[in-house]
Amino acid sequence: KMGEVVVANFNTRLDIPAERVLEAAKTEDMADVLVIGRTKNGELYMAASTGSGPEILWLIECAKVYILDPNRE
């Protein structure tokens, strides 16, 4: 499918357009979301659906663990 984003079980250097990633996330049954990115001007962009700092940090740490070891369950 054109809009489908598949989470790879390996590290990759292939870029996916931001719009495609955001559109694919809309099709999931998300409880909370955290968007971290860089604007075209190079500035940090971050938005979260939760106002809880600890919850945001937990999401970041979970993503970090996955990036460092994608085979971990």
Side-chain angles (χ1 to χ4, degrees):
K1 296 176 184 174
M2 185 60 146
E4 185 175 341
V5 174
V6 177
V7 176
N9 288 330
F10 54 87
N11 291 330
T12 180
R13 295 192 183 267
L14 300 176
D15 293 338
I16 300 172
E19 298 81 17
R20 187 170 162 197
V21 174
L22 294 170
E23 284 299 319
K26 289 180 184 180
T27 66
E28 297 295 322
D29 187 22
M30 308 295 284
D32 292 305
V33 295
L34 173 63
V35 177
I36 301 173
R38 187 177 56 223
T39 67
K40 291 182 180 179
N41 294 332
E43 297 175 14
L44 175 68
Y45 175 87
M46 186 180 90
S49 62
T50 178
S52 168
E55 181 72 15
I56 293 168
L57 185 57
W58 182 80
L59 289 170
I60 292 169
E61 290 297 323
C62 287
K64 185 173 83 174
V65 167
Y66 180 81
I67 290 167
L68 294 173
D69 185 5
N71 296 317
R72 180 185 169 120
E73 293 191 22

